[in-house]
Amino acid sequence: MNVRLCSSSSELSSLPFVEGLHHPNINLKRDHVEPFNTAHCAKNTTVSYTGGRKGVLSKHVIPRHVEESFIVEKQLEEPPEKLEYVRTLLIDNYDSYTYNIYQQLSTVNGVPPVVIRNDSRTWEEIRQYLYEENVFDNIVISPGPGSPTCPADIGICLQLLLECSDIPILGVCLGHQALGYVHGAEVVHASEPVHGRLSEIEHDGCRLFSGIPSGRNSGFKVVRYHSLVIDPETLPKELVPIAWTSCTNPLPFFENQSTDNSLNDPLSKVQNGKSSYLGQFEAAPNTKVLMGIRHSTRPHFGVQFHPESIATSYGSQIFKNFREITEDYWTRSQASSVRRRNADYAGNRRLTNMQVPSIMNNLLKRVSVLEKKPWMDINGDYLPQLYDGDEIDCFSVSNKDHPINEKKSLKLRWKKFDRLASRVGGADNIFCEIFAERGAKNTFWLDSASIEKELLSFHYEEKDFAGLPFDFHGGYVGYIGYDLKLECGVASNRHKSQAPDACFFFADNFLVIDHLNEDVYMMSLYDQATKETSWLDETEQKLLRLKPRPITEKKTRTTKPSADSPTEFGFYVDKSRDQYKNDVEKCLEYIKDGESYELCLTTQLRKEIGQINSLGLYLYLRESNPAPYAAWLNFASEKLCVCCSSPERFLQLDRNGTLEAKPIKGTIARGTTEEDDGLLKMQLQYSEKDQAENLMIVDLLRNDLGRVCEPGSVHVPNLMVVESYATVHTMVSTIRGKKRPNVSGVDCVRAAFPGGSMTGAPKLRSMELLDSLESCSRGIYSGSIGFFSINQTFDLNIVIRTVVIHEAEASVGAGGAIVALSNPEDEYEEMRLKTRAPVKAVLQFEDAM
């Protein structure tokens, strides 16, 4: 790993835009100065200068340890100028939404903020950057799990709020609660936890809400993620309420327009374990919840809601207003310093987009010391390595002579056979006839119904790949197990998987089938330094000789697994119904206490199966439950086979540098009739609980992409779209962003793994809590299957709806997201629903053998 160490403060002062506090032409004299009035957010003290003109003064020009104020005697030569860039210190309270704030601030401020964790710096270090080096213009304190009353949860934030009385600060959610708590207000449990739900907001018109409407039906709706609140009855006189909910009950993202709850309501006709999600909590007392505060004499503000959420209206306006508050504060109090900084910082011209990150990178090299972990670069966050070779149990490649960590110049030969697939029996026949010899050992099949240093060592000529309509040009194919979360920021793994944490083939000879056009592509990679193989010619002959298989009648099993007796057909569940429901209750307690917004609780079903034709099982699963991100992997030396029918994409990076995630949150069974099926689909669309689940994970994935994407590029083209599959309807969203050019594909995976739909939010705290609840390792389940191509693209799924066969045992993982609206019995039934397709495939395939 590369560790960048901190440089001396003298180096920092050499940066053109960094100035000290004292200026040679300023004469300081003691006198009384009125306090900063945040009611108008820019009212400053009037002072006299020797030339008879008037100016303003802020206590920011004096270090915190100096208790008194001073008058500045200096001739004003010209009117003050606005800041060209605003430099924000963003304190991350180990939250999974911090980088949504980062993206917003990057766009609004004109330069990315510097992100530090709340326990990574001492007050003395931060004080130097704020007061001696004059590095930052304002501070934003992020949301986070836990309570401001717990030092481990809040870190340095309370001291910043106490000591930095003369620096603009905005606290979000936990940061808002910290602002109240540090001045004596009490933080208490809310009447109900509210996560991923919306409220309309009223405000007092203060500068933070400039240009934003107020009140019911005004259009100002915000997303809330909190279980704790500031008790307004305990607010000290220096804290002023500025915003509150305009009505008692939170709102869903999509509202069912029907208000008739009688039996004539079409949704009431369908009972599928979802109805209890709606209205589970009794109406809260007829009180409005405090949603915003400000300090009466300091430029400090707090909002309980999340302005950075995709579903909050006017969120970016709030950050723009905070920038303007900051600009006014410094412009009026340090007019001469601002002019001088702008001249030095911009070199009398506007900085280009390329220059700004370069300057911030130089700053980060000085500001940041990390304990044995490298900087990712300008975003101020660190990303631990995805995996080191010594820590992986198995790294399997199909070409055993393939050299590792050497520069390789690769050539590609390929052939296309137009519309051949259906004429030779389709993808399954092609795979079975060409790759299934000797039991299909050491083979893969990335299917669709509709390495780090090593990857960077490949060089190839782009002309070899011209005309290919897909991104996989050869490279690594395999899986990343859930336990590799240890390499992505989690402190420890309580459980250890029996299967390898990651396994990959190096795919140099492979076939690609275009299902839409039925075209077949034969691909062969070879090193220029070695001899070209005859694989293409030999495979072409096999391919052209193929004949479609005759259609045979398949035996079907008439009995079905009973939800009440999970062991009836030989599958054993790691957690009984009561144990699973008890775990759901524990999750709800964690959520109530503010430890998490959402916890994705899982368990495993297992069955001894002995010798089984695992390829035949996959073909059966593929036919009975087709899915867009299905896959087959067979690692013979590990006695490991994966039969996956996943409908969910984890993360994709295409050749244009676009990252895409497609999380699924919200699942309901298909109906037995067309009418019931349509009603069930509608029920899922308007389920407040499922909407909350989905919204929380969308915001989490926006955060993960925001760590590696260009500022302002992360967007959500599809939000909460219901898609239908063979056995279930699911609610799916799509998040996209433009990868920054200075990060690799593996960096992108490291930033987002494991997929947020399998963890909950905030991700790190949620994974720690889940480790304490779950009784075994998830193994391959909840991880990802896919490829890393030599052209630096990748495509990875989420491993769900999957049968893992390892050492003669079949396992199926399943679970669901627990949120404040969850019902334990319904959560157990949803978990069982998600096992239906893979369990049924195993049972019916065994019966048909």
Side-chain angles (χ1 to χ4, degrees), residues 129-145:
Y129 307 137
L130 292 172
Y131 288 104
E132 296 179 24
E133 308 293 355
N134 195 22
V135 171
F136 300 106
D137 301 307
N138 62 25
I139 299 170
V140 174
I141 300 175
S142 86

Side-chain angles (χ1 to χ4, degrees), residues 272-510:
N272 195 52
K274 294 284 184 177
S275 58
S276 59
Y277 291 152
L278 303 177
Q280 178 187 345
F281 288 94
E282 295 181 0
N286 189 24
T287 57
K288 297 179 180 180
V289 181
L290 183 64
M291 285 286 113
I293 57 175
R294 64 171 175 84
H295 196 283
S296 61
T297 61
R298 299 179 177 189
H300 294 178
F301 302 82
V303 291
Q304 179 64 77
F305 58 87
H306 283 240
E308 80 286 354
S309 172
I310 186 64
T312 292
S313 55
Y314 299 98
S316 61
Q317 184 64 45
I318 291 174
F319 290 114
K320 289 176 184 176
N321 290 342
F322 185 58
R323 171 183 171 145
E324 291 179 1
I325 290 170
T326 301
E327 287 178 324
D328 275 356
Y329 185 78
W330 294 124
T331 300
R332 298 189 179 207
S333 62
Q334 283 182 281
S336 60
S337 174
V338 169
R339 285 195 298 272
R340 176 176 167 188
R341 193 194 76 174
N342 272 341
D344 291 339
Y345 189 56
N348 293 319
R349 60 183 175 83
R350 195 169 189 84
L351 287 174
T352 67
N353 290 335
M354 292 301 293
Q355 288 172 308
V356 172
S358 176
I359 289 175
M360 293 303 290
N361 229 6
N362 290 334
L363 172 63
L364 284 172
K365 292 178 183 178
R366 293 159 168 79
V367 170
S368 308
V369 179
L370 294 172
E371 298 78 9
K372 299 182 180 179
K373 293 181 179 178
W375 278 103
M376 180 158 153
D377 53 50
I378 68 167
N379 62 13
D381 189 28
Y382 56 85
L383 299 174
Q385 290 189 2
L386 178 62
Y387 44 74
D388 293 322
D390 293 340
E391 298 183 9
I392 293 181
D393 295 318
C394 174
F395 188 87
S396 178
V397 295
S398 58
N399 183 351
K400 303 300 183 183
D401 298 324
H402 181 67
I404 302 297
N405 293 332
E406 297 178 4
K407 293 293 183 182
K408 289 169 285 295
S409 182
L410 300 180
K411 296 289 292 181
L412 174 72
R413 281 189 62 203
W414 59 276
K415 290 185 178 181
K416 176 185 176 185
F417 300 89
D418 293 337
R419 302 193 176 277
L420 178 66
S422 62
R423 300 202 306 269
V424 296
D428 53 350
N429 194 44
I430 292 173
F431 182 86
C432 291
E433 293 299 325
I434 293 181
F435 295 107
E437 296 177 3
R438 301 182 301 278
K441 294 180 179 179
N442 299 320
T443 59
F444 68 89
W445 182 355
L446 299 185
D447 196 7
S448 175
S450 357
I451 345 240
E452 170 118 57
K453 294 179 182 178
E454 178 71 6
L455 287 169
L456 297 177
S457 71
F458 295 122
H459 296 275
Y460 62 94
E461 297 183 18
E462 292 192 9
K463 66 179 183 180
D464 289 352
F465 303 87
L468 292 176
F470 44 83
D471 285 332
F472 183 58
H473 297 166
Y476 291 104
V477 176
Y479 73 82
I480 303 169
Y482 178 77
D483 285 351
L484 275 185
K485 67 183 189 294
L486 188 64
E487 301 297 328
C488 300
V490 177
S492 63
N493 273 330
R494 180 186 175 200
H495 309 291
K496 174 64 178 173
S497 173
Q498 296 301 309
D501 289 336
C503 273
F504 283 86
F505 299 106
F506 184 80
D508 47 6
N509 296 319
F510 56 99

Side-chain angles (χ1 to χ4, degrees), residues 559-569 577 828 832 839 843:
T559 56
K560 296 181 179 180
S562 169
D564 296 323
S565 305
T567 62
E568 182 178 344
F569 296 97
R577 177 190 293 267
Y828 179 80
R832 294 287 297 153
V839 166
L843 297 176

Side-chain angles (χ1 to χ4, degrees), residues 524-563:
S524 182
L525 276 177
Y526 62 95
D527 194 328
Q528 287 185 339
T530 63
K531 218 174 188 183
E532 184 180 350
T533 69
S534 59
W535 183 86
L536 269 182
D537 297 330
E538 294 171 356
T539 304
E540 179 179 356
Q541 295 303 314
K542 290 182 180 180
L543 187 62
L544 295 177
R545 288 197 301 265
L546 285 182
K547 302 294 182 184
R549 290 184 174 185
I551 298 176
T552 57
E553 184 176 350
K554 293 182 172 60
K555 294 169 62 177
T556 58
R557 188 183 185 100
T558 55
T559 56
K560 296 181 179 180
S562 169

